[in-house]
Amino acid sequence: MATIFSRIVVGEIPSYKIAEDDKFFAFLDINPLVKGHTLVIPKQEVDYIFDLSDEDLAAMHVFAKKVARAIEKAIPCKRVGASVIGLEVPHAHIHLIPINRESDMLISNPKLKLSQEEFTAIAEAIRAQY
Ligand code: AMP
């Protein structure tokens, strides 16, 4: 059965899309730690990020870099942090998180509750910088 993230890629499940190319897809995390919290995934269905080929792992980070540059421009922050956890959804993903302090990266922090309008505005702002 397709993962929830594969279903997002094909549009079966809605998402606040940021960017895609032939191999990768970026969209807003639905339970964001901060505004602009984005996930980057391979379209290939691989659970563990370190099971990707060297080439795909490298390309995923190059794609994530472009997304991070757009996030930096759209969301005021000191920098964009990147983390990989992957214990919840069995489809490899990099969390890109605009941060101002170390503790902004803590995945155990309470999540923001944003309205549809807020998610839409954030996604548009990041897309405009991509
Ligand atoms: P983890 O696998 O521990 O890295 O966490 C999975 C992340 O995916 C969490 O931050 C969730 O909020 C996020 N997530 C789960 N389902 C969706 C979805 N349908 N759209 C966007 N983000 C999601």
Side-chain angles (χ1 to χ4, degrees), residues 5 8 27-31 39 85-89 93 95:
F5 288 172
I8 283 176
F27 56 104
L28 295 182
D29 194 303
I30 207 71
N31 303 301
L39 301 177
I85 302 170
L87 290 174
E88 190 187 313
V89 177
H93 50 282
H95 294 259

Side-chain angles (χ1 to χ4, degrees), residues 20-100:
E20 74 177 309
D21 68 8
D22 56 331
K23 287 190 148 187
F24 305 103
F25 193 95
F27 56 104
L28 295 182
D29 194 303
I30 207 71
N31 303 301
L33 286 169
V34 295
K35 287 184 178 181
H37 181 169
T38 298
L39 301 177
V40 169
I41 64 169
K43 290 183 176 176
Q44 181 194 355
E45 212 167 73
V46 170
D47 175 358
Y48 185 38
I49 194 166
F50 296 127
D51 284 335
L52 286 169
S53 69
D54 291 357
E55 190 184 47
D56 286 342
L57 182 63
M60 186 173 172
H61 282 82
V62 172
F63 178 82
K65 175 179 170 176
K66 283 187 265 177
V67 175
R69 290 290 187 223
I71 295 172
E72 279 164 20
K73 289 183 193 140
I75 309 286
C77 62
K78 283 198 176 148
R79 57 179 54 198
V80 172
S83 76
V84 175
I85 302 170
L87 290 174
E88 190 187 313
V89 177
H91 187 136
H93 50 282
I94 300 172
H95 294 259
L96 295 177
I97 305 168
I99 56 173
N100 291 298

Side-chain angles (χ1 to χ4, degrees), residues 95-110:
H95 294 259
L96 295 177
I97 305 168
I99 56 173
N100 291 298
R101 56 196 73 78
E102 191 184 287
S103 59
D104 288 341
M105 286 296 289
L106 289 177
I107 214 82
S108 51
N109 281 345

Side-chain angles (χ1 to χ4, degrees), residues 6 13 29 51 74 77 90 98 122 129:
S6 289
I13 293 178
D29 194 303
D51 284 335
C77 62
I122 293 165
Q129 300 294 335

